[in-house]
Amino acid sequence: GAGVSQSPRYKVAKRGQDVALRCDPISGHVSLFWYQQALGQGPEFLTYFQNEAQLDKSGLPSDRFFAERPEGSVSTLKIQRTQQEDSAVYLCASSSVDTYEQYFGPGTRLTVT
Amino acid sequence: DQQVKQNSPSLSVQEGRISILNCDYTNSMFDYFLWYKKYPAEGPTFLISISSIKDKNEDGRFTVFLNKSAKHLSLHIVPSQPGDSAVYFCAATPYGSGNTGKLIFGQGTTLQVKP
């Protein structure tokens, strides 16, 4: 596929469970971003990778959030011991190195019950 | 502190007329601005962008205007079509050697274009 894909599209977790969200960026895109979008709000930055290096994780809300991109392509966002306030849509975006335009995946809607 | 603000949560326009969506920002370090469009259950789709060295950028029916002194940008859609009905997000990114390109988004404006 030509676009950014994310899986699963929907995830329901019981409070306290761990979840893993996957992102497949556009082939060849060096930069990969994760955002969190709460209901009725704009996306908020979580973390940024350039290839496999995580260069900015200033937006991760707590140490329960962890992201990796070990081979510089697919990325996983992991949330440990989920809380109700983690309920949101998690968006992944990728871009090439010479542009600011980011291309977003469809998102994963996480609901913590 | 909301660095990018879209003060109108919603806008309703008749088909064929102009839609004007507004965005204000507070951070003078922002140097590149983007508009995204979002349909329900989909990710945001890039629409148009503008660099801070310009005051206008046009792409078909879409024009973005930037007023740096007022820290204000707007998106004009002419003529508006029912398929333009969506949530529109304004986003900005700061310049600087440490810039990662992360985007700071506004809260969004829901545009409804009535046939």
Side-chain angles (χ1 to χ4, degrees), chain A residues 9 33 35 37 40-43 45 48 56 58 91 100-102 104-106, chain B residues 32 34 36 38 41-44 46 49 89 93 99-103 105-107:
Chain A
R9 290 294 313 276
F33 301 82
Y35 294 85
Q37 185 176 18
Q41 301 296 316
F45 170 78
Y48 162 69
D56 187 346
S58 62
L91 294 162
Y100 284 123
E101 287 83 19
Q102 297 177 20
F104 283 81
Chain B
Y32 201 80
L34 307 91
Y36 282 83
K38 186 181 183 305
E42 295 183 12
F46 170 72
S49 61
F89 291 99
T93 189
N99 178 33
T100 61
K102 69 183 180 187
L103 299 179
F105 284 86
Q107 312 95 305

PDB file of all heavy atoms in Angstrom, chain A residues 9 33 35 37 40-43 45 48 56 58 91 100-102 104-106, chain B residues 32 34 36 38 41-44 46 49 89 93 99-103 105-107:
ATOM      1  N   ARG A   9      -7.167  -1.117  14.315  1.00  0.00           N
ATOM      2  CA  ARG A   9      -7.906   0.137  14.148  1.00  0.00           C
ATOM      3  C   ARG A   9      -8.657   0.500  15.422  1.00  0.00           C
ATOM      4  O   ARG A   9      -8.838   1.678  15.728  1.00  0.00           O
ATOM      5  CB  ARG A   9      -8.908   0.011  12.996  1.00  0.00           C
ATOM      6  CG  ARG A   9      -8.265  -0.069  11.610  1.00  0.00           C
ATOM      7  CD  ARG A   9      -7.561   1.224  11.233  1.00  0.00           C
ATOM      8  NE  ARG A   9      -8.370   2.400  11.487  1.00  0.00           N
ATOM      9  CZ  ARG A   9      -9.283   2.878  10.657  1.00  0.00           C
ATOM     10  NH1 ARG A   9      -9.498   2.296   9.502  1.00  0.00           N
ATOM     11  NH2 ARG A   9      -9.970   3.973  10.974  1.00  0.00           N
ATOM     12  N   PHE A  33       6.339   9.958  13.322  1.00  0.00           N
ATOM     13  CA  PHE A  33       5.788  10.677  14.479  1.00  0.00           C
ATOM     14  C   PHE A  33       4.595   9.907  15.045  1.00  0.00           C
ATOM     15  O   PHE A  33       3.832   9.306  14.307  1.00  0.00           O
ATOM     16  CB  PHE A  33       5.281  12.061  14.060  1.00  0.00           C
ATOM     17  CG  PHE A  33       6.316  12.957  13.450  1.00  0.00           C
ATOM     18  CD1 PHE A  33       6.656  12.825  12.103  1.00  0.00           C
ATOM     19  CD2 PHE A  33       6.942  13.950  14.192  1.00  0.00           C
ATOM     20  CE1 PHE A  33       7.609  13.653  11.524  1.00  0.00           C
ATOM     21  CE2 PHE A  33       7.884  14.786  13.625  1.00  0.00           C
ATOM     22  CZ  PHE A  33       8.220  14.632  12.286  1.00  0.00           C
ATOM     23  N   TYR A  35       1.194  10.738  17.513  1.00  0.00           N
ATOM     24  CA  TYR A  35       0.362  11.772  18.114  1.00  0.00           C
ATOM     25  C   TYR A  35      -0.789  11.108  18.869  1.00  0.00           C
ATOM     26  O   TYR A  35      -1.228  10.005  18.523  1.00  0.00           O
ATOM     27  CB  TYR A  35      -0.238  12.703  17.048  1.00  0.00           C
ATOM     28  CG  TYR A  35       0.775  13.555  16.305  1.00  0.00           C
ATOM     29  CD1 TYR A  35       1.443  13.054  15.192  1.00  0.00           C
ATOM     30  CD2 TYR A  35       1.045  14.872  16.702  1.00  0.00           C
ATOM     31  CE1 TYR A  35       2.369  13.833  14.504  1.00  0.00           C
ATOM     32  CE2 TYR A  35       1.963  15.654  16.016  1.00  0.00           C
ATOM     33  CZ  TYR A  35       2.614  15.120  14.931  1.00  0.00           C
ATOM     34  OH  TYR A  35       3.532  15.902  14.253  1.00  0.00           O
ATOM     35  N   GLN A  37      -4.762  11.940  20.010  1.00  0.00           N
ATOM     36  CA  GLN A  37      -5.870  12.874  19.785  1.00  0.00           C
ATOM     37  C   GLN A  37      -7.031  12.525  20.696  1.00  0.00           C
ATOM     38  O   GLN A  37      -7.684  11.482  20.531  1.00  0.00           O
ATOM     39  CB  GLN A  37      -6.331  12.850  18.325  1.00  0.00           C
ATOM     40  CG  GLN A  37      -7.391  13.903  18.029  1.00  0.00           C
ATOM     41  CD  GLN A  37      -7.794  13.972  16.587  1.00  0.00           C
ATOM     42  OE1 GLN A  37      -7.547  13.050  15.816  1.00  0.00           O
ATOM     43  NE2 GLN A  37      -8.419  15.070  16.200  1.00  0.00           N
ATOM     44  N   GLY A  40     -12.560  15.685  20.384  1.00  0.00           N
ATOM     45  CA  GLY A  40     -12.828  17.114  20.242  1.00  0.00           C
ATOM     46  C   GLY A  40     -11.594  17.998  20.257  1.00  0.00           C
ATOM     47  O   GLY A  40     -11.718  19.230  20.277  1.00  0.00           O
ATOM     48  N   GLN A  41     -10.422  17.393  20.231  1.00  0.00           N
ATOM     49  CA  GLN A  41      -9.173  18.160  20.265  1.00  0.00           C
ATOM     50  C   GLN A  41      -8.339  17.875  19.024  1.00  0.00           C
ATOM     51  O   GLN A  41      -8.604  16.935  18.280  1.00  0.00           O
ATOM     52  CB  GLN A  41      -8.363  17.788  21.508  1.00  0.00           C
ATOM     53  CG  GLN A  41      -9.083  18.037  22.815  1.00  0.00           C
ATOM     54  CD  GLN A  41      -9.361  19.503  23.037  1.00  0.00           C
ATOM     55  OE1 GLN A  41      -8.501  20.354  22.803  1.00  0.00           O
ATOM     56  NE2 GLN A  41     -10.572  19.824  23.477  1.00  0.00           N
ATOM     57  N   GLY A  42      -7.324  18.687  18.840  1.00  0.00           N
ATOM     58  CA  GLY A  42      -6.374  18.409  17.777  1.00  0.00           C
ATOM     59  C   GLY A  42      -5.355  17.381  18.235  1.00  0.00           C
ATOM     60  O   GLY A  42      -5.193  17.140  19.434  1.00  0.00           O
ATOM     61  N   PRO A  43      -4.648  16.755  17.299  1.00  0.00           N
ATOM     62  CA  PRO A  43      -3.594  15.805  17.678  1.00  0.00           C
ATOM     63  C   PRO A  43      -2.504  16.483  18.498  1.00  0.00           C
ATOM     64  O   PRO A  43      -2.161  17.637  18.248  1.00  0.00           O
ATOM     65  CB  PRO A  43      -3.046  15.338  16.322  1.00  0.00           C
ATOM     66  CG  PRO A  43      -4.147  15.596  15.335  1.00  0.00           C
ATOM     67  CD  PRO A  43      -4.830  16.830  15.831  1.00  0.00           C
ATOM     68  N   PHE A  45       1.485  15.963  19.909  1.00  0.00           N
ATOM     69  CA  PHE A  45       2.725  15.247  19.653  1.00  0.00           C
ATOM     70  C   PHE A  45       3.115  14.375  20.836  1.00  0.00           C
ATOM     71  O   PHE A  45       3.047  14.795  21.995  1.00  0.00           O
ATOM     72  CB  PHE A  45       3.834  16.263  19.374  1.00  0.00           C
ATOM     73  CG  PHE A  45       5.216  15.681  19.323  1.00  0.00           C
ATOM     74  CD1 PHE A  45       5.659  15.002  18.207  1.00  0.00           C
ATOM     75  CD2 PHE A  45       6.072  15.806  20.408  1.00  0.00           C
ATOM     76  CE1 PHE A  45       6.929  14.461  18.166  1.00  0.00           C
ATOM     77  CE2 PHE A  45       7.344  15.275  20.380  1.00  0.00           C
ATOM     78  CZ  PHE A  45       7.782  14.604  19.254  1.00  0.00           C
ATOM     79  N   TYR A  48       9.061  11.289  18.284  1.00  0.00           N
ATOM     80  CA  TYR A  48       9.566  11.393  16.920  1.00  0.00           C
ATOM     81  C   TYR A  48      10.776  10.486  16.731  1.00  0.00           C
ATOM     82  O   TYR A  48      11.659  10.413  17.593  1.00  0.00           O
ATOM     83  CB  TYR A  48       9.973  12.845  16.648  1.00  0.00           C
ATOM     84  CG  TYR A  48      10.892  13.027  15.457  1.00  0.00           C
ATOM     85  CD1 TYR A  48      10.425  12.812  14.161  1.00  0.00           C
ATOM     86  CD2 TYR A  48      12.216  13.417  15.626  1.00  0.00           C
ATOM     87  CE1 TYR A  48      11.264  12.979  13.074  1.00  0.00           C
ATOM     88  CE2 TYR A  48      13.062  13.587  14.543  1.00  0.00           C
ATOM     89  CZ  TYR A  48      12.572  13.370  13.265  1.00  0.00           C
ATOM     90  OH  TYR A  48      13.394  13.538  12.185  1.00  0.00           O
ATOM     91  N   ASP A  56      13.109  12.603  19.866  1.00  0.00           N
ATOM     92  CA  ASP A  56      12.295  13.483  20.696  1.00  0.00           C
ATOM     93  C   ASP A  56      11.181  12.651  21.311  1.00  0.00           C
ATOM     94  O   ASP A  56      10.378  12.077  20.586  1.00  0.00           O
ATOM     95  CB  ASP A  56      11.714  14.628  19.845  1.00  0.00           C
ATOM     96  CG  ASP A  56      10.990  15.691  20.669  1.00  0.00           C
ATOM     97  OD1 ASP A  56      10.691  15.452  21.857  1.00  0.00           O
ATOM     98  OD2 ASP A  56      10.705  16.765  20.117  1.00  0.00           O
ATOM     99  N   SER A  58       9.556  14.085  24.087  1.00  0.00           N
ATOM    100  CA  SER A  58       9.091  15.072  25.059  1.00  0.00           C
ATOM    101  C   SER A  58       7.588  15.065  25.276  1.00  0.00           C
ATOM    102  O   SER A  58       7.101  15.558  26.284  1.00  0.00           O
ATOM    103  CB  SER A  58       9.538  16.475  24.617  1.00  0.00           C
ATOM    104  OG  SER A  58       8.958  16.795  23.363  1.00  0.00           O
ATOM    105  N   LEU A  91      -2.432   8.426  16.537  1.00  0.00           N
ATOM    106  CA  LEU A  91      -2.126   8.627  15.128  1.00  0.00           C
ATOM    107  C   LEU A  91      -0.631   8.501  14.887  1.00  0.00           C
ATOM    108  O   LEU A  91       0.183   8.997  15.669  1.00  0.00           O
ATOM    109  CB  LEU A  91      -2.577  10.028  14.686  1.00  0.00           C
ATOM    110  CG  LEU A  91      -4.078  10.287  14.686  1.00  0.00           C
ATOM    111  CD1 LEU A  91      -4.356  11.782  14.675  1.00  0.00           C
ATOM    112  CD2 LEU A  91      -4.741   9.626  13.500  1.00  0.00           C
ATOM    113  N   TYR A 100       8.183  19.303   5.492  1.00  0.00           N
ATOM    114  CA  TYR A 100       7.443  19.352   6.745  1.00  0.00           C
ATOM    115  C   TYR A 100       6.108  18.631   6.652  1.00  0.00           C
ATOM    116  O   TYR A 100       5.470  18.388   7.659  1.00  0.00           O
ATOM    117  CB  TYR A 100       7.176  20.807   7.132  1.00  0.00           C
ATOM    118  CG  TYR A 100       8.366  21.543   7.692  1.00  0.00           C
ATOM    119  CD1 TYR A 100       8.818  22.722   7.105  1.00  0.00           C
ATOM    120  CD2 TYR A 100       9.038  21.073   8.817  1.00  0.00           C
ATOM    121  CE1 TYR A 100       9.900  23.408   7.624  1.00  0.00           C
ATOM    122  CE2 TYR A 100      10.118  21.754   9.338  1.00  0.00           C
ATOM    123  CZ  TYR A 100      10.546  22.915   8.743  1.00  0.00           C
ATOM    124  OH  TYR A 100      11.617  23.605   9.261  1.00  0.00           O
ATOM    125  N   GLU A 101       5.660  18.307   5.421  1.00  0.00           N
ATOM    126  CA  GLU A 101       4.352  17.672   5.294  1.00  0.00           C
ATOM    127  C   GLU A 101       4.409  16.250   5.826  1.00  0.00           C
ATOM    128  O   GLU A 101       5.245  15.455   5.402  1.00  0.00           O
ATOM    129  CB  GLU A 101       3.904  17.653   3.828  1.00  0.00           C
ATOM    130  CG  GLU A 101       3.474  18.993   3.268  1.00  0.00           C
ATOM    131  CD  GLU A 101       4.620  19.863   2.786  1.00  0.00           C
ATOM    132  OE1 GLU A 101       5.727  19.333   2.545  1.00  0.00           O
ATOM    133  OE2 GLU A 101       4.410  21.080   2.649  1.00  0.00           O
ATOM    134  N   GLN A 102       3.504  15.950   6.733  1.00  0.00           N
ATOM    135  CA  GLN A 102       3.429  14.617   7.310  1.00  0.00           C
ATOM    136  C   GLN A 102       2.183  13.925   6.790  1.00  0.00           C
ATOM    137  O   GLN A 102       1.134  14.551   6.614  1.00  0.00           O
ATOM    138  CB  GLN A 102       3.380  14.689   8.834  1.00  0.00           C
ATOM    139  CG  GLN A 102       4.633  15.296   9.431  1.00  0.00           C
ATOM    140  CD  GLN A 102       4.581  15.437  10.926  1.00  0.00           C
ATOM    141  OE1 GLN A 102       3.793  14.766  11.605  1.00  0.00           O
ATOM    142  NE2 GLN A 102       5.419  16.292  11.469  1.00  0.00           N
ATOM    143  N   PHE A 104      -0.529  10.981   7.475  1.00  0.00           N
ATOM    144  CA  PHE A 104      -1.069  10.281   8.629  1.00  0.00           C
ATOM    145  C   PHE A 104      -1.731   8.956   8.265  1.00  0.00           C
ATOM    146  O   PHE A 104      -2.329   8.814   7.195  1.00  0.00           O
ATOM    147  CB  PHE A 104      -2.112  11.158   9.337  1.00  0.00           C
ATOM    148  CG  PHE A 104      -1.509  12.254  10.168  1.00  0.00           C
ATOM    149  CD1 PHE A 104      -1.081  13.429   9.583  1.00  0.00           C
ATOM    150  CD2 PHE A 104      -1.371  12.104  11.539  1.00  0.00           C
ATOM    151  CE1 PHE A 104      -0.510  14.442  10.346  1.00  0.00           C
ATOM    152  CE2 PHE A 104      -0.810  13.103  12.317  1.00  0.00           C
ATOM    153  CZ  PHE A 104      -0.376  14.273  11.711  1.00  0.00           C
ATOM    154  N   GLY A 105      -1.639   8.030   9.198  1.00  0.00           N
ATOM    155  CA  GLY A 105      -2.422   6.813   9.111  1.00  0.00           C
ATOM    156  C   GLY A 105      -3.832   7.053   9.633  1.00  0.00           C
ATOM    157  O   GLY A 105      -4.143   8.157  10.098  1.00  0.00           O
ATOM    158  N   PRO A 106      -4.684   6.027   9.578  1.00  0.00           N
ATOM    159  CA  PRO A 106      -6.084   6.192   9.999  1.00  0.00           C
ATOM    160  C   PRO A 106      -6.255   6.257  11.515  1.00  0.00           C
ATOM    161  O   PRO A 106      -7.312   6.648  11.998  1.00  0.00           O
ATOM    162  CB  PRO A 106      -6.769   4.947   9.444  1.00  0.00           C
ATOM    163  CG  PRO A 106      -5.683   3.929   9.363  1.00  0.00           C
ATOM    164  CD  PRO A 106      -4.431   4.687   9.044  1.00  0.00           C
TER     165      PRO A 106
ATOM    166  N   TYR B  32       6.556  27.447   9.691  1.00  0.00           N
ATOM    167  CA  TYR B  32       5.893  26.727   8.609  1.00  0.00           C
ATOM    168  C   TYR B  32       4.526  26.313   9.112  1.00  0.00           C
ATOM    169  O   TYR B  32       4.399  25.844  10.256  1.00  0.00           O
ATOM    170  CB  TYR B  32       6.721  25.501   8.217  1.00  0.00           C
ATOM    171  CG  TYR B  32       6.434  24.974   6.842  1.00  0.00           C
ATOM    172  CD1 TYR B  32       6.994  25.569   5.715  1.00  0.00           C
ATOM    173  CD2 TYR B  32       5.599  23.877   6.658  1.00  0.00           C
ATOM    174  CE1 TYR B  32       6.745  25.092   4.448  1.00  0.00           C
ATOM    175  CE2 TYR B  32       5.334  23.394   5.393  1.00  0.00           C
ATOM    176  CZ  TYR B  32       5.915  24.002   4.293  1.00  0.00           C
ATOM    177  OH  TYR B  32       5.659  23.537   3.031  1.00  0.00           O
ATOM    178  N   LEU B  34       0.579  24.537   8.214  1.00  0.00           N
ATOM    179  CA  LEU B  34      -0.091  23.559   7.372  1.00  0.00           C
ATOM    180  C   LEU B  34      -1.563  23.490   7.734  1.00  0.00           C
ATOM    181  O   LEU B  34      -1.953  23.745   8.884  1.00  0.00           O
ATOM    182  CB  LEU B  34       0.523  22.161   7.574  1.00  0.00           C
ATOM    183  CG  LEU B  34       2.046  22.025   7.419  1.00  0.00           C
ATOM    184  CD1 LEU B  34       2.767  22.233   8.738  1.00  0.00           C
ATOM    185  CD2 LEU B  34       2.407  20.658   6.851  1.00  0.00           C
ATOM    186  N   TYR B  36      -4.756  20.699   7.528  1.00  0.00           N
ATOM    187  CA  TYR B  36      -5.154  19.321   7.335  1.00  0.00           C
ATOM    188  C   TYR B  36      -6.666  19.236   7.386  1.00  0.00           C
ATOM    189  O   TYR B  36      -7.322  19.996   8.082  1.00  0.00           O
ATOM    190  CB  TYR B  36      -4.560  18.425   8.432  1.00  0.00           C
ATOM    191  CG  TYR B  36      -3.109  18.070   8.237  1.00  0.00           C
ATOM    192  CD1 TYR B  36      -2.101  18.940   8.631  1.00  0.00           C
ATOM    193  CD2 TYR B  36      -2.744  16.860   7.652  1.00  0.00           C
ATOM    194  CE1 TYR B  36      -0.765  18.614   8.447  1.00  0.00           C
ATOM    195  CE2 TYR B  36      -1.417  16.519   7.470  1.00  0.00           C
ATOM    196  CZ  TYR B  36      -0.438  17.402   7.868  1.00  0.00           C
ATOM    197  OH  TYR B  36       0.887  17.071   7.679  1.00  0.00           O
ATOM    198  N   LYS B  38      -9.884  16.420   7.945  1.00  0.00           N
ATOM    199  CA  LYS B  38     -10.111  15.109   8.536  1.00  0.00           C
ATOM    200  C   LYS B  38     -11.564  14.704   8.426  1.00  0.00           C
ATOM    201  O   LYS B  38     -12.444  15.423   8.883  1.00  0.00           O
ATOM    202  CB  LYS B  38      -9.671  15.116  10.006  1.00  0.00           C
ATOM    203  CG  LYS B  38      -9.740  13.742  10.649  1.00  0.00           C
ATOM    204  CD  LYS B  38      -9.329  13.795  12.097  1.00  0.00           C
ATOM    205  CE  LYS B  38      -9.330  12.402  12.725  1.00  0.00           C
ATOM    206  NZ  LYS B  38     -10.605  11.715  12.593  1.00  0.00           N
ATOM    207  N   ALA B  41     -13.313   8.854  11.324  1.00  0.00           N
ATOM    208  CA  ALA B  41     -12.673   7.527  11.285  1.00  0.00           C
ATOM    209  C   ALA B  41     -11.517   7.450  10.300  1.00  0.00           C
ATOM    210  O   ALA B  41     -11.095   6.346   9.913  1.00  0.00           O
ATOM    211  CB  ALA B  41     -13.697   6.440  10.976  1.00  0.00           C
ATOM    212  N   GLU B  42     -10.992   8.609   9.872  1.00  0.00           N
ATOM    213  CA  GLU B  42      -9.807   8.618   9.029  1.00  0.00           C
ATOM    214  C   GLU B  42      -8.746   9.497   9.671  1.00  0.00           C
ATOM    215  O   GLU B  42      -9.057  10.336  10.523  1.00  0.00           O
ATOM    216  CB  GLU B  42     -10.121   9.153   7.630  1.00  0.00           C
ATOM    217  CG  GLU B  42     -11.066   8.274   6.836  1.00  0.00           C
ATOM    218  CD  GLU B  42     -11.278   8.811   5.424  1.00  0.00           C
ATOM    219  OE1 GLU B  42     -10.535   9.707   4.998  1.00  0.00           O
ATOM    220  OE2 GLU B  42     -12.199   8.318   4.757  1.00  0.00           O
ATOM    221  N   GLY B  43      -7.504   9.335   9.249  1.00  0.00           N
ATOM    222  CA  GLY B  43      -6.467  10.221   9.730  1.00  0.00           C
ATOM    223  C   GLY B  43      -6.516  11.551   8.997  1.00  0.00           C
ATOM    224  O   GLY B  43      -7.139  11.668   7.939  1.00  0.00           O
ATOM    225  N   PRO B  44      -5.871  12.584   9.545  1.00  0.00           N
ATOM    226  CA  PRO B  44      -5.812  13.870   8.866  1.00  0.00           C
ATOM    227  C   PRO B  44      -5.116  13.744   7.515  1.00  0.00           C
ATOM    228  O   PRO B  44      -4.145  12.995   7.373  1.00  0.00           O
ATOM    229  CB  PRO B  44      -4.990  14.739   9.825  1.00  0.00           C
ATOM    230  CG  PRO B  44      -5.083  14.066  11.159  1.00  0.00           C
ATOM    231  CD  PRO B  44      -5.187  12.610  10.856  1.00  0.00           C
ATOM    232  N   PHE B  46      -3.211  15.928   4.486  1.00  0.00           N
ATOM    233  CA  PHE B  46      -2.568  17.197   4.185  1.00  0.00           C
ATOM    234  C   PHE B  46      -3.301  17.923   3.056  1.00  0.00           C
ATOM    235  O   PHE B  46      -3.648  17.322   2.027  1.00  0.00           O
ATOM    236  CB  PHE B  46      -1.115  16.960   3.809  1.00  0.00           C
ATOM    237  CG  PHE B  46      -0.432  18.179   3.262  1.00  0.00           C
ATOM    238  CD1 PHE B  46      -0.109  19.235   4.091  1.00  0.00           C
ATOM    239  CD2 PHE B  46      -0.150  18.284   1.907  1.00  0.00           C
ATOM    240  CE1 PHE B  46       0.492  20.377   3.594  1.00  0.00           C
ATOM    241  CE2 PHE B  46       0.462  19.415   1.399  1.00  0.00           C
ATOM    242  CZ  PHE B  46       0.781  20.461   2.239  1.00  0.00           C
ATOM    243  N   SER B  49       0.056  24.146   2.534  1.00  0.00           N
ATOM    244  CA  SER B  49       0.977  24.686   3.535  1.00  0.00           C
ATOM    245  C   SER B  49       1.524  26.030   3.074  1.00  0.00           C
ATOM    246  O   SER B  49       1.348  26.434   1.924  1.00  0.00           O
ATOM    247  CB  SER B  49       2.133  23.707   3.767  1.00  0.00           C
ATOM    248  OG  SER B  49       2.863  23.501   2.574  1.00  0.00           O
ATOM    249  N   PHE B  89      -7.916  21.222  10.489  1.00  0.00           N
ATOM    250  CA  PHE B  89      -6.933  21.539  11.518  1.00  0.00           C
ATOM    251  C   PHE B  89      -5.838  22.427  10.939  1.00  0.00           C
ATOM    252  O   PHE B  89      -5.304  22.150   9.861  1.00  0.00           O
ATOM    253  CB  PHE B  89      -6.292  20.265  12.069  1.00  0.00           C
ATOM    254  CG  PHE B  89      -7.204  19.409  12.882  1.00  0.00           C
ATOM    255  CD1 PHE B  89      -7.822  18.291  12.330  1.00  0.00           C
ATOM    256  CD2 PHE B  89      -7.449  19.710  14.216  1.00  0.00           C
ATOM    257  CE1 PHE B  89      -8.670  17.496  13.087  1.00  0.00           C
ATOM    258  CE2 PHE B  89      -8.292  18.921  14.979  1.00  0.00           C
ATOM    259  CZ  PHE B  89      -8.906  17.818  14.410  1.00  0.00           C
ATOM    260  N   THR B  93       4.887  24.461  12.823  1.00  0.00           N
ATOM    261  CA  THR B  93       6.120  23.841  13.292  1.00  0.00           C
ATOM    262  C   THR B  93       7.198  24.912  13.402  1.00  0.00           C
ATOM    263  O   THR B  93       7.244  25.833  12.574  1.00  0.00           O
ATOM    264  CB  THR B  93       6.552  22.678  12.383  1.00  0.00           C
ATOM    265  OG1 THR B  93       7.639  21.975  12.981  1.00  0.00           O
ATOM    266  CG2 THR B  93       6.966  23.150  11.006  1.00  0.00           C
ATOM    267  N   ASN B  99      14.974  21.480  15.448  1.00  0.00           N
ATOM    268  CA  ASN B  99      13.583  21.210  15.090  1.00  0.00           C
ATOM    269  C   ASN B  99      13.428  19.808  14.525  1.00  0.00           C
ATOM    270  O   ASN B  99      14.128  19.410  13.613  1.00  0.00           O
ATOM    271  CB  ASN B  99      13.107  22.237  14.054  1.00  0.00           C
ATOM    272  CG  ASN B  99      11.688  21.970  13.628  1.00  0.00           C
ATOM    273  OD1 ASN B  99      10.882  21.512  14.414  1.00  0.00           O
ATOM    274  ND2 ASN B  99      11.378  22.240  12.376  1.00  0.00           N
ATOM    275  N   THR B 100      12.483  19.092  15.100  1.00  0.00           N
ATOM    276  CA  THR B 100      12.221  17.738  14.627  1.00  0.00           C
ATOM    277  C   THR B 100      11.132  17.714  13.572  1.00  0.00           C
ATOM    278  O   THR B 100      10.883  16.679  12.982  1.00  0.00           O
ATOM    279  CB  THR B 100      11.771  16.851  15.793  1.00  0.00           C
ATOM    280  OG1 THR B 100      10.557  17.392  16.340  1.00  0.00           O
ATOM    281  CG2 THR B 100      12.825  16.789  16.875  1.00  0.00           C
ATOM    282  N   GLY B 101      10.471  18.844  13.388  1.00  0.00           N
ATOM    283  CA  GLY B 101       9.357  18.887  12.457  1.00  0.00           C
ATOM    284  C   GLY B 101       8.040  18.513  13.091  1.00  0.00           C
ATOM    285  O   GLY B 101       7.042  18.348  12.392  1.00  0.00           O
ATOM    286  N   LYS B 102       8.038  18.355  14.426  1.00  0.00           N
ATOM    287  CA  LYS B 102       6.768  18.000  15.054  1.00  0.00           C
ATOM    288  C   LYS B 102       5.767  19.117  14.838  1.00  0.00           C
ATOM    289  O   LYS B 102       6.112  20.297  14.799  1.00  0.00           O
ATOM    290  CB  LYS B 102       6.952  17.745  16.541  1.00  0.00           C
ATOM    291  CG  LYS B 102       7.274  18.967  17.373  1.00  0.00           C
ATOM    292  CD  LYS B 102       7.496  18.586  18.821  1.00  0.00           C
ATOM    293  CE  LYS B 102       7.810  19.786  19.676  1.00  0.00           C
ATOM    294  NZ  LYS B 102       8.182  19.404  21.057  1.00  0.00           N
ATOM    295  N   LEU B 103       4.517  18.724  14.679  1.00  0.00           N
ATOM    296  CA  LEU B 103       3.453  19.684  14.402  1.00  0.00           C
ATOM    297  C   LEU B 103       2.681  19.991  15.679  1.00  0.00           C
ATOM    298  O   LEU B 103       2.384  19.111  16.472  1.00  0.00           O
ATOM    299  CB  LEU B 103       2.499  19.118  13.351  1.00  0.00           C
ATOM    300  CG  LEU B 103       3.124  18.812  11.984  1.00  0.00           C
ATOM    301  CD1 LEU B 103       2.087  18.227  11.043  1.00  0.00           C
ATOM    302  CD2 LEU B 103       3.742  20.068  11.386  1.00  0.00           C
ATOM    303  N   PHE B 105      -0.900  21.415  16.702  1.00  0.00           N
ATOM    304  CA  PHE B 105      -2.204  21.538  16.070  1.00  0.00           C
ATOM    305  C   PHE B 105      -3.141  22.445  16.860  1.00  0.00           C
ATOM    306  O   PHE B 105      -3.073  22.522  18.093  1.00  0.00           O
ATOM    307  CB  PHE B 105      -2.880  20.172  15.955  1.00  0.00           C
ATOM    308  CG  PHE B 105      -2.344  19.300  14.865  1.00  0.00           C
ATOM    309  CD1 PHE B 105      -1.238  18.491  15.080  1.00  0.00           C
ATOM    310  CD2 PHE B 105      -2.941  19.292  13.614  1.00  0.00           C
ATOM    311  CE1 PHE B 105      -0.744  17.685  14.077  1.00  0.00           C
ATOM    312  CE2 PHE B 105      -2.457  18.483  12.597  1.00  0.00           C
ATOM    313  CZ  PHE B 105      -1.350  17.676  12.828  1.00  0.00           C
ATOM    314  N   GLY B 106      -4.057  23.097  16.129  1.00  0.00           N
ATOM    315  CA  GLY B 106      -5.194  23.745  16.760  1.00  0.00           C
ATOM    316  C   GLY B 106      -6.266  22.705  17.095  1.00  0.00           C
ATOM    317  O   GLY B 106      -6.096  21.506  16.828  1.00  0.00           O
ATOM    318  N   GLN B 107      -7.375  23.196  17.648  1.00  0.00           N
ATOM    319  CA  GLN B 107      -8.431  22.290  18.111  1.00  0.00           C
ATOM    320  C   GLN B 107      -9.333  21.813  16.985  1.00  0.00           C
ATOM    321  O   GLN B 107     -10.122  20.885  17.162  1.00  0.00           O
ATOM    322  CB  GLN B 107      -9.304  22.973  19.172  1.00  0.00           C
ATOM    323  CG  GLN B 107      -8.529  23.661  20.272  1.00  0.00           C
ATOM    324  CD  GLN B 107      -8.345  25.143  19.983  1.00  0.00           C
ATOM    325  OE1 GLN B 107      -7.834  25.525  18.922  1.00  0.00           O
ATOM    326  NE2 GLN B 107      -8.749  25.980  20.913  1.00  0.00           N
TER     327      GLN B 107
END
